[in-house]
Amino acid sequence: MASFKLFGGTNPGDVAGPDSVAVIGLGRFGRALALELMSHGTDVLGIDQDESVVQSLNGRLTHVAVADVTSEEALRQLAVDEFDHVVIAIASNLEASILVTSLMLQFNIPELWAKAVSEPHRAILQQLGVRHIVFPEQDMGRRVAHMVRGSLQDYILIDEDYALAKTTPHQEILGRELGALDVRRRHGVTITAVKHAGRGWEPATAQTVLAADDIILVSGPAKKTEGFRRLR
């Protein structure tokens, strides 16, 4: 029998529903991810090799377990192979990350996510066949860089050359209906939503008129989206 210590329940298989998530590795990224999932009502099984880390999350996740994350037997006993969603959040041990990824692929996990800590690590995960790869440090660096350069409040790269930005409108597009401004033809982006002062978000329409204190969501090619705040 594989050795592991389980907190928070007696049978993690009871948690392995279609919407539950197993998070392997409870460092800063894995911990933050697991707690955020819990805050939205998702059952989470968290697994780590460090008992002190696991105990700190006891009662905060549906189940937490101390186990050798590279042991197929231990992971099967913890019913990880029954989960539809698994996140490999191991950062400090490249070999362990690769071994666990191989096991998850053998388990045929439908939705497998893995954290990469370097470009070579990302390349290995891609070669193994992982479709969802997260590179938190690099992705956040890129995001902040676009925000700094583009005077944006938030910036999300949807694909290699398509982005969504949260910003305030340039003075040249204030006070007139968006339909009359023909923003998409003239600037290559689409204003998808607007938040007027003191109100919630609403879809932007051809009849929407923007004010200086509004906040807008803009989507389109990355460079055009970034430059739209300055109309460049």
Side-chain angles (χ1 to χ4, degrees):
M1 295 288 287
S3 176
F4 65 86
K5 187 180 293 186
L6 179 67
F7 299 86
T10 57
N11 183 12
D14 294 339
V15 184
D19 297 322
S20 56
V21 180
V23 179
I24 302 175
L26 298 173
R28 284 180 297 178
F29 173 72
R31 178 190 183 96
L33 172 68
L35 291 173
E36 183 68 13
L37 287 167
M38 288 291 294
S39 73
H40 289 278
T42 300
D43 285 325
V44 177
L45 166 64
I47 307 170
D48 199 278
Q49 297 185 151
D50 188 329
E51 184 166 347
S52 64
V53 170
V54 170
Q55 288 182 337
S56 72
L57 290 169
N58 185 21
R60 303 181 68 185
L61 305 182
T62 313
H63 291 282
V64 281
V66 183
D68 177 1
V69 297
T70 64
S71 167
E72 178 178 355
E73 185 180 359
L75 294 176
R76 287 189 182 277
Q77 289 179 5
L78 288 168
V80 174
D81 58 318
E82 299 177 23
F83 279 75
D84 287 345
H85 300 81
V86 174
V87 179
I88 302 169
I90 300 169
S92 59
N93 190 324
L94 181 61
E95 181 180 356
S97 170
I98 294 169
L99 287 172
V100 174
T101 300
S102 297
L103 287 172
M104 294 305 105
L105 293 170
Q106 290 178 34
F107 291 167
N108 292 316
I109 302 298
E111 290 293 329
L112 177 62
W113 295 74
K115 175 184 177 179
V117 297
S118 66
E119 285 295 348
H121 188 191
R122 185 207 293 267
I124 292 171
L125 293 173
Q126 288 176 331
Q127 290 169 8
L128 288 172
V130 180
R131 290 188 301 159
H132 305 298
I133 301 173
V134 183
F135 202 157
E137 289 81 6
Q138 185 182 78
D139 292 345
M140 181 54 70
R142 288 176 174 171
R143 185 176 181 183
V144 173
H146 285 288
M147 291 165 65
V148 171
R149 291 179 58 225
S151 300
L152 307 175
Q153 296 181 13
D154 206 349
Y155 181 93
I156 301 174
L157 193 63
I158 305 299
D159 207 337
E160 288 299 320
D161 189 40
Y162 197 86
L164 178 68
K166 176 183 175 184
T167 187
T168 53
H170 191 279
Q171 62 182 8
E172 291 188 16
I173 62 172
L174 303 180
R176 296 177 59 192
E177 291 186 348
L178 290 181
L181 294 169
D182 201 4
V183 171
R184 185 181 301 176
R185 183 184 63 82
R186 293 177 60 196
H187 304 290
V189 300
T190 301
I191 299 175
T192 59
V194 58
K195 184 178 182 181
H196 298 296
R199 293 158 59 181
W201 286 99
E202 58 186 56
T205 68
Q207 290 73 46
T208 297
V209 176
L210 299 176
D213 54 357
D214 288 342
I215 301 173
I216 57 175
L217 291 182
V218 182
S219 64
K223 289 184 178 180
K224 291 184 178 180
T225 299
E226 180 186 336
F228 181 66
R229 173 63 182 85
R230 297 164 292 170
L231 289 188
R232 284 171 46 179

